[in-house]
Amino acid sequence: ETGVTQTPRHLVMGMTNKKSLKCEQHLGHNAMYWYKQSAKKPLELMFVYNFKEQTENNSVPSRFSPECPNSSHLFLHLHTLQPEDSALYLCASSQDPTSGPDTQYFGPGTRLTVL
Amino acid sequence: GQNIDQPTEMTATEGAIVQINCTYQTSGFNGLFWYQQHAGEAPTFLSYNVLDGLEEKGRFSSFLSRSKGYSYLLLKELQMKDSASYLCAVRDGDYKLSFGAGTTVTVRA
C-alpha cells in the first residue's frame, strides 16, 4: 500500500458514456497528479494540482476533465472517449513539486478500456 | 521536450547482478528517480539521486553522473520477485518529472 487509492480498478465504457475516476491520498500531501500509461510508452503527465490549484495541463483533450475539490481527492471525468484512450490511468501525490526530492507516490491505477 | 532512454528488456538468472542504464537530455536537472512497477500494480519508489555518485539501499544501488547525463540501477542477488518494469524518471529545471519507457527485467531460475 502506497497511501494512494484509486477507484475503480477496471472500467469498460462505450464512446458515448460519461464516467469518473477517483483518487484519494492519505499521506497529507499538497500536490496530486494524473498520468496516462500506455503499453511500451513512457508515463505521460496529464494534469497537476498543487494546493487544489491546477498548475499543469499537458495539452490534454477536453474529453478529459479533472477536478480537485481538496488536497486529498482528485477526480478525472471522462466524456465521449475514443478507443485510443484505452490505457492505465495512474494517480500520484507528493508533498511539494517545487523543492527537495519530492518523491511521488502512485496509486494502483484504473485500467480503462474504451469500446 | 525531454529525452530519457533506457533498454526495453533485460533477462538475468536468479542470484545474478543486472545493471539497467538510463541516459537523459533535459532542460535543467533537479534529480533522478528510479521506480519499480510490477505488472498491474502501482510504480513504487526505489531511489533518488541528485548529486554524482552511488546511493546504496540493500540489494539495490543507483549511480548518477550529471556531466554525462547518465544513471544506472544495479540489482544484486536477483530474486524471482525482482521481475518487474523499472522506470527511470528525471526532474528538469522546472521541476517537471519525465519518465523513460521502462525496462522490463525477467529473472529466470
Side-chain angles (χ1 to χ4, degrees):
Chain A
E1 290 295 325
T2 62
V4 181
T5 58
Q6 290 186 243
T7 55
R9 294 293 309 275
H10 300 271
L11 178 62
V12 179
M13 58 187 290
M15 290 191 285
T16 58
N17 292 157
K18 285 185 182 180
K19 296 286 184 183
S20 295
L21 310 185
K22 178 182 176 182
C23 175
E24 183 174 359
Q25 58 98 357
H26 310 274
L27 301 169
H29 288 163
N30 299 310
M32 296 188 77
Y33 310 77
W34 279 118
Y35 287 90
K36 176 183 179 182
Q37 187 175 35
S38 302
K40 305 298 182 185
K41 290 186 178 180
L43 266 72
E44 301 172 43
L45 179 64
M46 300 174 73
F47 302 104
V48 180
Y49 280 83
N50 196 18
F51 290 96
K52 301 189 298 178
E53 298 291 325
Q54 189 180 122
T55 58
E56 189 85 26
N57 177 339
N58 264 4
S59 304
V60 180
S62 59
R63 58 186 184 268
F64 295 91
S65 174
E67 179 189 0
C68 188
N70 54 61
S71 294
S72 299
H73 293 86
L74 185 65
F75 296 89
L76 187 63
H77 304 299
L78 315 173
H79 177 51
T80 59
L81 294 191
Q82 305 297 312
E84 60 264 29
D85 297 323
S86 298
L88 181 68
Y89 288 85
L90 290 164
C91 173
S93 72
S94 72
Q95 185 59 42
D96 180 355
T98 63
S99 67
D102 194 53
T103 303
Q104 291 185 20
Y105 293 87
F106 286 83
T110 295
R111 174 67 63 186
L112 174 66
T113 302
V114 182
L115 302 177
Chain B
Q2 318 300 7
N3 191 29
I4 300 168
D5 289 317
Q6 51 182 130
T8 305
E9 294 178 335
M10 301 184 75
T11 301
T13 306
E14 199 173 13
I17 298 172
V18 69
Q19 177 175 315
I20 306 170
N21 296 324
C22 173
T23 57
Y24 63 89
Q25 291 176 307
T26 58
S27 307
F29 178 82
N30 278 297
L32 186 143
F33 298 80
W34 284 96
Y35 283 84
Q36 179 191 60
Q37 186 179 23
H38 285 100
E41 297 183 15
T44 55
F45 169 75
L46 286 179
S47 68
Y48 170 74
N49 294 71
V50 68
L51 299 176
D52 290 351
L54 189 67
E55 294 282 341
E56 296 188 81
K57 270 189 184 180
R59 295 188 298 114
F60 293 2
S61 304
S62 57
F63 172 82
L64 175 68
S65 169
R66 288 172 296 171
S67 62
K68 296 181 179 177
Y70 168 71
S71 172
Y72 68 72
L73 180 69
L74 195 69
L75 315 180
K76 303 176 195 172
E77 301 169 19
L78 278 174
Q79 301 175 10
M80 300 299 287
K81 67 178 181 180
D82 297 329
S83 292
S85 182
Y86 292 84
L87 311 178
C88 174
V90 178
R91 196 150 63 151
D92 65 19
D94 292 325
Y95 292 93
K96 294 180 184 177
L97 195 63
S98 296
F99 284 81
T103 299
T104 300
V105 171
T106 302
V107 181
R108 294 186 174 165

